[in-house]
Amino acid sequence: MNADFSRTLALLRQEKGISQRKAAKELGISQALLSHYENGIREPGLAFVKKACDYYHVSADYLLGRTLDRDGGMIDAESLYDSSDEKGTLRGSIAATLQKKMLVNTAGVLFELLGKTNDRTLITSAGSYLGGAFYQLYRALHRASGGKEGYFGLDATAYQSGAVDAQMRADYIAYASSLAQLSEKDGAFASMEDEALASFYPGLMQSVTQVLHSTEEKTNSLLSRK
């Protein structure tokens, strides 16, 4: 098994919000053995992998780090359409084009920096967190424009009760946890010095700076009103 398996196994348990002791009992193994699996000390057999997939409702390919799709769909970077290099503007709005470019540029820098760590949990949790934000914005737009709730697989009551917010929080916890672990192990981080970033990403850092400063200004303004 690779390191992705042990990290994903631990992350799935944390997402489920249960203790190692409880998970081990329901998986039919000792807590010590589960701890060894989650820390990459021992490798499980196929029987355990199958049981863990059923327990966490994910595919074996996801658990083994072969796909980012929990249901097992094999999506690779080469097959995904990439609009980041497209020229021109979005139809009907210069403001929309500006926002798109700033966010695409910022996301590009962020994921390139994360990619240098070579930590799958860190990268996937960041993607899942941002995906949750896009999901909420898209679903709200879909509903306001008269779209049918049946289009979405997440129950409307669960969605309106903040289920996606809860998932995003879990994603952020996984992200922060992975960063902390990498720091403790002196992981491979790219330089975050202003000069280094400007040199590596000429032009792009203007977008990053704008996104960061805009968020800070709005947040500080909100705080000053309380």
Side-chain angles (χ1 to χ4, degrees):
M1 300 289 176
N2 55 32
D4 286 335
F5 170 81
S6 57
R7 284 197 296 266
T8 303
L9 185 65
L11 178 60
L12 287 170
R13 177 179 58 77
Q14 293 163 13
E15 287 182 351
K16 198 175 179 71
I18 59 175
S19 66
Q20 203 173 63
R21 182 177 184 178
K22 178 177 174 60
K25 181 178 179 180
E26 295 183 350
L27 287 167
I29 60 175
S30 68
Q31 182 179 348
L33 184 55
L34 180 59
S35 177
H36 286 168
Y37 290 163
E38 290 188 357
N39 288 291
I41 297 173
R42 292 185 59 179
E43 293 186 354
L46 291 177
F48 174 82
V49 172
K50 181 180 182 302
K51 187 176 292 185
C53 289
D54 292 339
Y55 183 63
Y56 291 119
H57 304 293
V58 297
S59 69
D61 282 327
Y62 178 82
L63 191 57
L64 296 173
R66 299 184 66 244
T67 177
L68 301 181
D69 186 346
R70 296 191 179 210
D71 293 328
M74 299 302 289
I75 304 174
D76 58 83
E78 289 74 17
S79 67
L80 291 175
Y81 177 72
D82 184 2
S83 67
S84 59
D85 293 327
E86 288 183 351
K87 306 299 181 182
T89 61
L90 295 178
R91 297 177 184 176
S93 175
I94 295 176
T97 298
L98 176 61
Q99 290 296 322
K100 173 206 168 186
K101 287 185 176 181
M102 284 198 302
L103 292 175
V104 166
N105 290 345
T106 301
V109 172
L110 173 66
F111 281 98
E112 186 162 334
L113 291 171
L114 293 178
K116 294 181 185 299
T117 69
N118 200 32
D119 186 291
R120 180 174 178 270
T121 300
L122 183 64
I123 296 167
T124 55
S125 59
S128 182
Y129 180 87
L130 292 175
F134 281 120
Y135 179 92
Q136 295 196 73
L137 294 172
Y138 189 90
R139 183 159 179 169
L141 175 62
H142 187 273
R143 182 179 185 183
S145 63
K148 296 180 179 179
E149 286 290 340
Y151 175 80
F152 299 95
L154 178 63
D155 178 74
T157 300
Y159 170 64
Q160 293 165 11
S161 299
V164 178
D165 288 322
Q167 179 57 57
M168 290 176 66
R169 186 58 185 167
D171 290 328
Y172 185 79
I173 291 172
Y175 180 82
S177 176
S178 294
L179 284 175
Q181 291 177 24
L182 279 173
S183 295
E184 291 175 359
K185 298 176 181 178
D186 295 323
F189 289 102
S191 173
M192 298 298 289
E193 295 294 331
D194 291 343
E195 292 184 1
L197 290 173
S199 175
F200 282 123
Y201 308 105
L204 297 179
M205 285 308 297
Q206 181 180 3
S207 294
V208 176
T209 301
Q210 179 63 39
V211 170
L212 297 180
H213 286 182
S214 177
T215 299
E216 289 176 342
E217 288 178 1
K218 291 176 181 177
T219 305
N220 284 330
S221 177
L222 177 65
L223 293 173
S224 67
R225 293 200 296 268
K226 293 185 176 181

